[in-house]
């Protein structure tokens, strides 16, 4: 199969996302990343406050806000930098991998197309000899997933 530059780039992006997803599969730590990393370093909140140039209460609130999901990327980057770390974030599939998401959408789209086509064919009495609906959906879905077009996600 001939791969286009666009397809190769999409494939590399998918592989990178899937690798990060596997690495993060153990979920977010309940203590939050700031507290977890600070603790791993054996660093107190007071020490971290001095390194960031922030008040101890500000660092403590930042740890609390992170646990609540209410901290800015800029704040967490500053704290991570003070600990000699780098803050990274990712968007990964909630279940499975990128190809699973693509196939799920391809099946939805294929099902709509096949059902509409079959309804028209039934009206014209042209349904004889057609493959099973499920087989037709899977075949079309595979084709749609291989050749993602502009309207794919609609």
């Amino acid at each position: 199969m001939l791969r286009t530059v666009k397809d190769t780039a999409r494939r590399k992006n998918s592989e990178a996302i899937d690798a990060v997803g596997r690495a993060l599969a153990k979920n977010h730590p309940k203590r939050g990343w700031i507290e977890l990393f600070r603790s791993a370093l054996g660093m107190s909140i007071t020490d971290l406050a001095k390194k960031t140039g922030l008040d101890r209460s500000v660092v403590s609130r930042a740890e609390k806000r992170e646990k609540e999901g209410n901290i800015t990327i800029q704040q967490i980057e500053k704290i991570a930098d003070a600990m000699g770390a780098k803050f990274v974030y990712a968007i990964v599939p909630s279940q499975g991998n990128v190809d699973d998401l693509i196939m799920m959408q391809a099946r939805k789209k294929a099902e709509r197309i096949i059902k509409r086509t079959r309804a028209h064919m039934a009206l014209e009495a042209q349904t004889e000899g057609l493959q099973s609906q499920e087989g037709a959906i899977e075949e079309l879905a595979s084709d749609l997933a291989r050749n993602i077009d502009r309207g794919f996600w609609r």
Side-chain angles (χ1 to χ4, degrees):
M1 174 202 307
L2 182 64
R3 290 195 185 265
T4 65
V5 172
K6 184 178 173 183
D7 185 47
T8 301
R10 191 189 68 72
R11 175 72 34 217
K12 285 186 180 216
N13 291 341
S14 295
E15 289 169 2
I17 290 167
D18 292 342
V20 170
R22 285 189 300 275
L24 297 176
K26 296 192 172 157
N27 294 323
H28 187 79
K30 287 185 170 116
R31 294 167 51 186
W33 290 106
I34 297 171
E35 184 181 339
L36 182 72
F37 197 84
R38 180 180 58 73
S39 175
L41 293 174
M43 185 184 285
S44 70
I45 288 180
T46 303
D47 293 334
L48 181 54
K50 285 179 186 168
K51 287 184 81 55
T52 59
L54 300 171
D55 189 325
R56 183 187 188 290
S57 64
V58 173
V59 173
S60 181
R61 279 196 310 272
E63 285 186 357
K64 183 179 182 211
R65 282 195 312 271
E66 184 205 354
K67 290 174 202 168
E68 296 167 347
N70 192 21
I71 189 168
T72 68
I73 290 173
Q74 188 176 23
Q75 290 170 318
I76 207 165
E77 283 177 335
K78 180 176 182 170
I79 292 169
D81 186 55
M83 292 188 289
K86 182 171 115 177
F87 173 67
V88 295
Y89 68 92
I91 298 174
V92 298
S94 53
Q95 293 180 335
N97 59 39
V98 172
D99 286 339
D100 294 337
L101 293 175
I102 290 169
M103 278 306 294
M104 189 168 33
Q105 175 64 18
R107 283 185 185 104
K108 285 179 189 175
K109 189 170 182 101
E111 185 174 355
R112 285 193 309 264
I113 292 168
I114 296 296
K115 284 185 175 179
R116 187 174 51 237
T117 301
R118 285 184 178 253
H120 289 284
M121 291 178 81
L123 289 173
E124 297 172 11
Q126 296 178 358
T127 57
E128 190 175 316
L130 289 178
Q131 73 184 94
S132 75
Q133 184 165 308
E134 293 77 24
I137 290 170
E138 281 304 309
E139 187 177 320
L140 180 57
S142 293
D143 188 51
L144 291 170
R146 259 190 317 276
N147 304 299
I148 297 173
D149 68 3
R150 187 169 278 211
F152 181 79
W153 290 100
R154 289 187 202 133

